[in-house]
């Protein structure tokens, strides 16, 4: 202490205890680290914000699907019918394309809003005026008497297509079918699905999709009618 006082020309200087000096140093280092961490955190937040503005692969895919302007039902003038492996239940029934329904299987559905292969929903077959349309249809047969049909209908305008889908949904509901979760592929396409047991005991599943003035309907019915 005396040597320090002599060096400062008689001005007394009180030195802090070693413990207090170390404590102050520790506080300064802590504040410094906090400031650096805050600056780094802000940089990370800015980076995270920038990434948030970029769509993920899934988001980009969804955006492409929902904003696509290409007609999903017709490519280069050719109508796109479902392949057998694109029909629901293919792993179980092993679908095959057929020119017509098998003998004794009844008849296929005609213009919308008819629904139900083999007239499984007979009320929808009531006579009614059909709007201007072009229809394309394909039948499939599967194991254990399973039947399927895919229809693509082009209407004169979008408003007509929309109204026909509304009527079709009413007929589906009258037939006793209820909304079910669509497959991953159907959901991506924006399709809606219904399923239920029809009056002869078979299960009917119907998928409906609309794009502008175009409508597609996929119907899958399992097995043969129950006895009696």
């Amino acid at each position: 202490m005396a040597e320090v006082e002599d060096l400062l020309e008689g001005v007394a200087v009180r030195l802090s205890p070693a413990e207090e000096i170390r404590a102050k140093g520790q506080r300064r280092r802590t504040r410094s680290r906090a400031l650096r961490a805050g600056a780094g955190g802000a940089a990370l937040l800015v980076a995270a914000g920038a990434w948030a503005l970029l769509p993920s692969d899934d988001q980009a895919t969804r955006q492409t699907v929902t904003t696509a302007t290409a007609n999903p039902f017709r490519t280069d003038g050719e109508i796109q019918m479902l392949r057998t492996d694109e029909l629901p239940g293919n792993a179980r029934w092993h679908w095959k394309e057929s020119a017509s329904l098998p003998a004794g299987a009844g008849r296929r559905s005609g213009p919308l809003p008819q629904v139900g292969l083999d007239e499984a929903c007979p009320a929808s077959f009531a006579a009614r005026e059909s709007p201007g349309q072009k229809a394309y249809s394909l039948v499939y047969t599967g194991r254990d008497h399973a039947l399927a049909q895919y229809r693509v209908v082009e209407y004169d305008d979008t408003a007509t297509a929309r109204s026909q889908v509304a009527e079709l949904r009413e007929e589906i509901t009258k037939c006793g079918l209820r909304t079910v979760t669509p497959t991953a592929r159907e959901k991506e396409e924006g399709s809606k699905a219904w399923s239920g047991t029809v009056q002869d005991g078979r299960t009917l599943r119907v998928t409906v999709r609309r794009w502008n003035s175009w409508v597609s309907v996929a119907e899958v019915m399992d097995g043969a009618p129950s006895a009696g």
Side-chain angles (χ1 to χ4, degrees):
M1 290 287 292
E3 293 178 356
V4 173
E5 291 172 356
D6 290 341
L7 290 173
L8 294 179
E9 299 179 345
V11 178
V13 177
R14 180 178 180 275
L15 296 180
S16 300
E19 292 81 0
E20 185 175 345
I21 293 173
R22 285 195 294 270
K24 289 181 179 179
Q26 180 63 33
R27 286 195 293 272
R28 283 196 296 271
R29 287 192 294 271
T30 301
R31 284 196 298 270
S32 178
R33 284 196 297 268
L35 288 173
R36 288 196 300 271
L44 288 174
L45 287 174
V46 171
W51 278 108
L53 295 175
L54 299 177
S56 65
D57 291 341
D58 290 343
Q59 289 173 329
T61 299
R62 288 195 294 271
Q63 290 169 359
T64 300
V65 170
T66 56
T67 60
T69 57
N71 187 340
F73 301 118
R74 182 170 62 191
T75 303
D76 296 330
E78 183 178 350
I79 303 301
Q80 301 300 303
M81 307 301 285
L82 287 183
R83 302 191 309 268
T84 55
D85 61 345
E86 293 175 325
L87 275 174
N90 181 59
R92 176 182 177 184
W93 291 301
H94 303 279
W95 298 113
K96 293 182 180 180
E97 294 183 11
S98 177
S100 60
L101 292 176
R107 58 173 174 158
R108 66 174 70 184
S109 299
L112 302 184
Q114 289 184 7
V115 62
L117 284 160
D118 200 6
E119 298 187 37
C121 304
S124 70
F125 280 74
R128 69 185 77 200
E129 183 178 351
S130 298
Q133 60 181 276
K134 295 179 182 178
Y136 311 87
S137 178
L138 189 60
V139 173
Y140 310 79
T141 57
R143 292 180 177 177
D144 301 322
H145 307 285
L147 302 173
Q149 179 180 226
Y150 182 65
R151 288 177 285 169
V152 174
V153 184
E154 179 188 9
Y155 293 98
D156 290 339
D157 53 70
T158 299
T160 301
R162 188 182 294 113
S163 66
Q164 288 296 291
V165 169
E167 291 187 27
L168 176 62
R169 289 177 175 175
E170 290 182 5
E171 295 300 335
I172 290 173
T173 302
K174 290 178 182 178
C175 193
L177 277 59
R178 297 292 179 265
T179 302
V180 295
T181 302
T183 65
R185 177 177 177 276
E186 292 168 345
K187 186 179 295 184
E188 183 179 2
E189 295 172 343
S191 301
K192 303 296 183 182
W194 291 261
S195 182
T197 303
V198 294
Q199 61 184 18
D200 64 9
R202 287 178 288 184
T203 298
L204 174 65
R205 187 182 189 278
V206 180
T207 306
V208 179
R209 180 186 182 190
R210 184 182 68 80
W211 181 86
N212 293 344
S213 61
W214 293 70
V215 179
S216 71
V217 180
E219 299 165 279
V220 173
M221 190 157 59
D222 66 337
S226 57

